[in-house]
Each structure stands twice: as structure tokens, then as C-alpha cells.
């Protein structure tokens, strides 16, 4: 199945928007084209990239989208790898796009900083200050890709026929002309169908007939180890779903945590949705932390972060966020939204003793974030100072206010 004309127009309009950063553009595309349309969207971008129908900024956004779809897997398993190697090998490719493509497939150290810029800002910055292109073993990637896909790697991808000629301009075609052609675009480009007769059947040789009636007796042996891994996976999948409804025993928690750490892809086979995160945190916060750490580099983590910033304030949720902050670099927007939710929640907690307890916890937590440079004062200074002034009788809030005042 391919994208419809309306969907393709929406895709091109989104790619033309140069205001968003590269990360934000990919997030927007994933929202506009959720499963099961994500793969078809990837094929459409792949076709436009290899047919050289996209502008420079659109190619940057398109390449990162194709990379993000298979970010958790090795690069040879990405079916869109030829698009990246095209950019690296082609003599017509601009140095900035060569650098960006090579950084993606090699997971270069500068990749994280690049993704926070818009495509236009990245291209302008590279033009002012060119950088050496990361080393990429293109031939080794081609060989691994061919082995994984059991096919011969080909760099050829041409538009063999276009009718009418004016439809090549996908961005400025009159609406009456583009409708008939945009609906027909697939991952095979605009290639016309050709007659391909089936190959002739070869005459069998004399030594092949022996396989019709083998002389040696064959005993069927049953492999009792078959499906053993599936049984183990099913057992821990049920245990994970059980963890969202009741507190697990200490032994069960240790077993499930160890299995999560040892199996990178297990969490993607469990159908764990963001709406199950709040009960998982309250029932088994250690497992919730392990789950989020496994999802941290996947596109799904954004939905889990949204839920985490909206759940009611509790000691367990703060322990989970604290564990995440100690293990990985969290997005500034998430930290900001979570602290804002904590502050708002403190104002509505009753009775007073319970409220003061959470005020102390939030104050100490914010102090720790500031001390470890995880939270920036310029992001949330006003909200935190207002919070401290509302509860000056709480010792920890008063100390937090002094810390903020002294650092300004």
C-alpha cells in the first residue's frame, strides 16, 4: 500500500517547514503519519530522496526520519540504507549532506548537537565552518546489507518514464495536474510496468533423479528445545503485565529486571502502552525505571514522558525521575514540565502534614537537579521562586530560595 495524493502533499508541506529543529520535524512526521502509515511514509521519502526531488533542507529532514524509524536496530537492518550511502558516495552531494549522512550511519559524537538545530541552521553553520566527514566503510555496509536482505546491493535508482513531463515539479504543480500523478507514486518511483516472461524450466540431469527416492532411511528427530525462548519471553511478558496491577515479590522483581537488562528488544514485544505507566510506577517503581531506560532511545519514549509529567505527585514517581536523571541526559522540556507539575501538585495536597512532606521532597529534588546541572535556573527560576515564597515556613523551601538567590 502507498500514500495517497493528499497524504503525500501533507508530507511535502511538512518537509518544507524550516522553522522546526531536525528532532522536532521527525516528531511531527511521526505524529502526522502514525502506524501503520509510518513505513509507507518512509518509502515515499526514500523514493523522493533517491530520485533527487527534494531540496537540501528537505533531504536533511527526510534522512533523519528514515534513520529514526530503525534507530534501535543496527544500521544494516535499515531497509533505507541505500539512501544514506547515495548521499555519501555521490559526487553531486554537497559536503554538508555528506557529513550529515555519515554522522547518522556512524552515530557520530556531534549528532546530538546537530539535531537540535533546524536544517537551514545546520547547513548555514556547516558552510561557515566545514568539518571533516566521519569515516564510513561504505563497502562493508553494502556487503552486510546484501547479506541481511539476501539481495545484491544496487546504487541505481532512476525515473525511467514520466508522463506528463510537467509533473516532475511536485512542489509547484497546478492542482489539476498533480492529483492524477501523486496518487500513483510508490517506492518504485515512476517506472512503467514492463513485460517480464517467466524463465524457462531447465532440463533435469540424470544425477538429480536420485533425490526423488532417497536410498538412506531418514529418522525424524524432534527438537525439544524449539520454542523454549518463546516460552521464556511469554512468562516474563505476563509478569510485566502483572506488575501493572499488583506489587511483585522481591524475587520476581529481580528476575524481571535482570531479564529486561539482558534482552534489549524484549520491551518492544510486550505491548506496554503509556497509559499503563502510572500503575506500574505506583506498584513497582524499580521495574518502571528499567522499562523507561530501555525505551529511552526509541520514538515511543516521548509518549511515556508526556504521561510522566501529568501523573499525580508521589514518592515513587520522583524516585523514577531521579533514577532517569542519574542514568541519562533528559530533555530540558521534560524536566521543566515535570517540576512544574510537582509544584502545582504540592499546592493542592491535603492534609497539611502530607503537603509539607511533599514540599520538602520537591525542594530537595530541585536542589539536587540544580547542583548536578540537570536543571537550568533560566528555564524555571520564576516558578521555583514563587513556590518557595508560598511556603517559607518549610526549611527546605527556604534553603532552596537562598540557593537560587545566591546563584543569580
Amino acid at each position: 500500500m502507498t500514500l495517497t495524493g493528499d497524504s503525500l502533499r501533507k508530507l511535502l508541506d511538512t518537509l518544507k517547514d524550516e522553522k522546526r529543529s531536525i528532532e522536532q520535524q521527525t516528531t511531527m512526521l511521526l505524529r502526522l503519519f502514525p502506524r501503520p502509515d509510518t513505513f509507507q511514509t518512509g518509502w515515499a521519502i526514500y523514493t523522493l530522496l533517491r530520485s533527487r526531488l527534494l531540496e537540501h533542507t528537505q533531504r536533511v529532514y527526510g534522512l533523519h526520519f528514515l534513520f529514526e524509524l530503525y534507530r534501535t536496530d543496527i544500521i544494516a537492518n535499515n531497509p533505507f540504507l541505500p539512501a544514506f550511502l547515495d548521499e555519501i558516495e555521490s559526487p553531486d552531494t554537497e559536503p554538508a549532506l555528506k557529513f550529515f549522512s555519515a554522522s547518522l550511519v556512524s552515530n557520530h559524537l556531534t549528532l546530538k548537537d546537530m539535531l537540535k538545530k533546524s536544517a537551514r541552521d545546520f547547513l548555514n553553520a556547516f558552510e561557515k565552518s566545514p568539518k571533516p566527514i566521519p569515516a564510513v566503510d561504505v563497502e562493508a555496509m553494502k556487503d552486510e546489507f546484501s547479506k541481511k536482505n539476501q539481495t545484491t546491493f544496487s546504487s541505481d535508482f532512476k525515473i525511467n518514464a514520466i508522463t506528463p513531463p510537467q509533473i516532475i515539479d511536485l512542489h509547484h504543480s497546478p492542482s489539476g495536474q498533480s492529483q492524477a500523478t501523486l496518487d500513483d507514486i510508490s517506492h518504485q518511483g515512476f517506472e512503467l510496468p514492463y513485460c517480464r516472461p517467466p524463465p524457462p524450466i531447465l532440463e533435469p540431469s540424470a544425477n538429480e533423479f536420485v533425490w526423488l527416492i532417497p536410498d538412506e532411511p531418514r529418522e525424524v528427530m524432534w527438537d525439544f528445545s524449539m520454542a523454549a525462548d518463546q516460552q521464556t519471553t511469554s512468562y516474563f511478558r505476563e509478569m510485566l503485565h502483572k506488575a501493572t496491577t499488583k506489587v511483585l515479590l522481591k524475587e520476581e522483581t529481580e528476575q524481571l529486571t535482570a531479564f529486561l537488562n539482558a534482552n534489549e528488544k524484549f520491551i518492544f514485544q510486550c505491548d506496554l502502552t503509556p497509559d499503563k505507566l502510572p500503575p506500574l510506577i505506583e506498584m513497582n517503581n524499580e521495574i518502571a525505571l528499567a522499562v523507561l531506560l530501555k525505551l529511552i532511545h526509541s520514538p515511543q519514549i516521548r509518549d511515556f514522558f508526556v504521561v510522566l509529567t501529568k501523573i499525580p505527585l508521589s514518592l515513587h514517581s520522583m524516585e523514577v525521575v531521579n533514577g532517569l536523571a542519574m542514568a541519562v541526559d533528559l530533555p530540558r522540556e521534560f524536566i521543566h514540565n515535570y517540576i512544574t507539575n510537582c509544584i502545582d501538585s504540592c499546592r493542592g495536597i491535603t492534609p497539611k502534614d502530607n503537603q509539607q512532606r511533599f514540599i520538602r521532597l520537591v525542594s530537595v529534588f530541585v536542589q539536587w537537579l540544580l547542583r548536578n546541572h540537570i536543571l537550568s535556573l533560566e528555564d524555571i527560576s520564576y516558578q521555583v521562586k514563587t513556590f518557595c515564597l508560598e511556603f517559607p515556613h518549610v526549611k527546605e523551601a527556604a534553603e532552596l530560595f537562598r540557593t537560587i538567590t545566591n546563584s543569580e
Side-chain angles (χ1 to χ4, degrees):
M1 220 183 142
T2 59
L3 292 182
T4 63
D6 291 337
S7 297
L8 185 57
R9 273 187 289 275
K10 183 168 65 173
L11 171 62
L12 292 172
D13 291 338
T14 305
L15 290 175
K16 285 193 293 184
D17 190 346
E18 300 181 2
K19 297 179 181 178
R20 303 185 186 93
S21 69
I22 300 173
E23 282 184 330
Q24 292 171 341
Q25 188 72 291
T26 299
T27 302
M28 177 59 67
L29 288 172
L30 290 171
R31 290 177 182 172
L32 292 176
F33 304 96
R35 296 178 184 273
D37 295 334
T38 307
F39 188 78
Q40 284 76 18
T41 306
W43 268 122
I45 293 176
Y46 176 83
T47 302
L48 295 170
L49 279 169
R50 299 202 71 188
S51 301
R52 300 287 175 174
L53 296 177
L54 295 179
E55 299 173 358
H56 293 171
T57 55
Q58 296 171 337
R59 284 157 68 185
V60 171
Y61 289 138
L63 286 167
H64 184 256
F65 178 80
L66 298 184
F67 172 77
E68 188 68 22
L69 293 182
Y70 292 86
R71 185 174 184 174
T72 58
D73 212 337
I74 61 175
I75 192 64
N77 286 345
N78 191 325
F80 308 116
L81 177 61
F84 300 95
L85 301 186
D86 273 359
E87 299 290 343
I88 296 172
E89 285 189 303
S90 175
D92 300 327
T93 302
E94 290 70 23
L97 287 169
K98 284 181 181 285
F99 176 81
F100 185 74
S101 301
S103 299
L104 287 177
V105 299
S106 63
N107 201 14
H108 197 260
L109 295 176
T110 59
L111 185 60
K112 185 176 180 181
D113 295 330
M114 286 191 295
L115 301 182
K116 297 185 182 300
K117 301 177 182 179
S118 68
R120 179 60 62 189
D121 291 341
F122 160 71
L123 294 173
N124 292 339
F126 190 93
E127 184 177 359
K128 294 178 181 178
S129 179
K131 299 177 182 178
I133 299 174
V136 177
D137 193 345
V138 175
E139 295 302 323
M141 286 189 177
K142 287 182 179 180
D143 292 341
E144 190 173 2
F145 179 86
S146 299
K147 293 177 183 177
K148 293 282 185 182
N149 296 274
Q150 297 182 352
T151 184
T152 302
F153 190 98
S154 174
S155 300
D156 295 331
F157 192 90
K158 300 178 180 179
I159 299 177
N160 296 330
I162 302 176
T163 305
Q166 61 268 31
I167 68 166
I168 190 66
D169 188 357
L170 294 176
H171 307 288
H172 306 290
S173 297
S175 59
Q177 296 173 348
S178 63
Q179 176 65 41
T181 57
L182 291 177
D183 288 337
D184 298 331
I185 289 182
S186 70
H187 63 273
Q188 298 176 353
F190 297 94
E191 181 182 1
L192 292 177
Y194 293 101
C195 294
R196 295 177 174 89
I201 299 177
L202 299 177
E203 292 294 330
S205 61
N207 59 0
E208 291 178 337
F209 287 101
V210 67
W211 297 109
L212 297 178
I213 307 176
D215 295 335
E216 299 179 10
R218 304 294 178 180
E219 182 181 359
V220 178
M221 302 293 292
W222 181 257
D223 183 2
F224 292 97
S225 64
M226 289 177 59
D229 293 341
Q230 294 182 7
Q231 293 175 2
T232 303
T233 302
S234 178
Y235 169 75
F236 283 106
R237 187 187 297 117
E238 292 177 3
M239 186 182 293
L240 181 59
H241 286 291
K242 176 184 174 183
T244 63
T245 59
K246 61 188 298 185
V247 179
L248 298 182
L249 299 175
K250 183 179 179 180
E251 294 180 356
E252 292 177 322
T253 301
E254 293 174 351
Q255 289 178 1
L256 182 54
T257 304
F259 190 78
L260 279 167
N261 293 333
N263 296 270
E264 295 289 335
K265 298 182 180 180
F266 168 70
I267 191 60
F268 301 103
Q269 303 168 358
C270 296
D271 299 325
L272 185 67
T273 54
D275 60 291
K276 295 180 182 177
L277 182 62
L280 181 61
I281 289 176
E282 294 307 314
M283 297 289 181
N284 300 276
N285 61 319
E286 291 183 23
I287 296 175
L289 175 59
V291 166
L292 291 174
L293 288 175
K294 288 300 173 185
L295 292 169
I296 198 68
H297 297 300
S298 69
Q300 295 95 314
I301 192 62
R302 299 180 182 88
D303 297 329
F304 283 86
F305 276 163
V306 170
V307 173
L308 193 53
T309 58
K310 295 180 181 180
I311 63 176
L313 177 61
S314 68
L315 179 59
H316 287 165
S317 68
M318 293 184 68
E319 289 177 347
V320 170
V321 176
N322 181 64
L324 286 172
M326 293 175 64
V328 297
D329 293 332
L330 293 174
R332 292 174 59 181
E333 182 182 1
F334 165 71
I335 292 290
H336 178 260
N337 291 339
Y338 181 76
I339 295 301
T340 302
N341 179 57
C342 290
I343 291 173
D344 293 339
S345 298
C346 284
R347 296 188 176 103
I349 295 176
T350 55
K352 188 174 181 180
D353 292 343
N354 197 27
Q355 183 188 46
Q356 291 185 354
R357 173 171 170 264
F358 276 105
I359 292 172
R360 288 195 295 271
L361 288 173
V362 172
S363 300
V364 171
F365 184 52
V366 174
Q367 283 252 41
W368 180 84
L369 292 174
L370 292 173
R371 189 164 52 249
N372 290 275
H373 306 290
I374 298 172
L375 178 66
S376 175
L377 267 180
E378 61 186 35
D379 291 337
I380 202 168
S381 175
Y382 175 77
Q383 292 96 320
V384 175
K385 289 172 69 174
T386 304
F387 168 72
C388 295
L389 292 173
E390 284 186 44
F391 307 102
H393 55 283
V394 179
K395 178 183 175 181
E396 288 77 3
E399 291 178 355
L400 175 59
F401 183 78
R402 284 194 294 271
T403 300
I404 297 174
T405 304
N406 294 335
S407 62
E408 290 179 342

